[in-house]
Amino acid sequence: MLFQKPYPGWVVIRNELADSLNRYQNETFHGLMLTYTDEFHLFPDDDPVHLISIAPEIPKSLATRMLYGLKTEIVMQGAEKGTLIQVRYTWKTDTIILDFQARSQHEEAYPRDATLNWFEKAREDIHQVFDVIVSETLRKRCL
């Protein structure tokens, strides 16, 4: 499933996910993934190092000369066993893009209810990481 801007909220997404999973009552699922992409527009006087806590400290004089934008990422274990959380950060001249991705790493299959539960926990992991690395200044711009 793919949801475009504006973000409809987790309740809407969860309900559509549950409806989709209901069509496959007796099936199991492998390779679960949840991705959120946040794009923040920068003001001329913004310093990304102070807006995102994983932003590398590259002098603005060098950063403005970068052709493809600065990219970095962090990877961590999720709260759910076998879940990997990856945050990819891209800084362009006037934009910061954050991609949050949770992926199941287990070989075993998830039954329907466990699949829905996995998505709930993955969403919680992503929101927790978002709250830690995104400054209050940028969070206010999301509203």
Side-chain angles (χ1 to χ4, degrees):
M1 291 194 249
L2 180 64
F3 296 89
Q4 301 291 332
K5 290 180 185 177
Y7 177 62
W10 178 247
V11 173
V12 171
I13 293 171
R14 186 188 187 288
N15 288 343
E16 286 198 31
L17 180 60
D19 288 345
S20 293
L21 292 173
N22 283 339
R23 292 183 212 137
Y24 305 99
Q25 287 287 336
N26 298 320
E27 299 292 323
T28 57
F29 303 91
H30 300 272
L32 306 178
M33 182 172 65
L34 177 65
T35 302
Y36 281 87
T37 300
D38 293 304
E39 184 175 299
F40 302 97
H41 296 285
L42 297 174
F43 299 141
D45 60 339
D46 280 341
D47 185 355
V49 173
H50 301 294
L51 297 173
I52 302 287
S53 65
I54 62 171
E57 294 193 38
I58 297 215
K60 207 170 210 172
S61 60
L62 290 177
T64 56
R65 293 188 281 159
M66 295 179 76
L67 297 176
Y68 298 106
L70 181 64
K71 295 180 183 173
T72 191
E73 63 187 39
I74 57 173
V75 179
M76 65 188 74
Q77 293 295 319
E80 179 78 9
K81 183 181 176 189
T83 298
L84 194 67
I85 307 296
Q86 178 181 14
V87 181
R88 185 177 183 128
Y89 160 89
T90 306
W91 171 25
K92 297 180 181 177
T93 305
D94 59 352
T95 309
I96 291 176
I97 300 168
L98 286 173
D99 289 304
F100 297 86
Q101 186 178 85
R103 289 178 287 150
S104 64
Q105 300 292 300
H106 274 308
E107 298 276 331
E108 65 194 56
Y110 291 85
R112 182 212 172 270
D113 289 341
T115 299
L116 198 52
N117 187 50
W118 183 90
F119 278 102
E120 287 281 355
K121 289 183 178 183
R123 177 196 169 271
E124 290 171 12
D125 283 341
I126 288 172
H127 276 270
Q128 184 178 21
V129 173
F130 178 93
D131 289 344
V132 169
I133 69 172
V134 177
S135 69
E136 184 67 26
T137 301
L138 282 186
R139 278 189 253 153
K140 287 179 182 175
R141 291 182 193 175
C142 285
L143 304 174

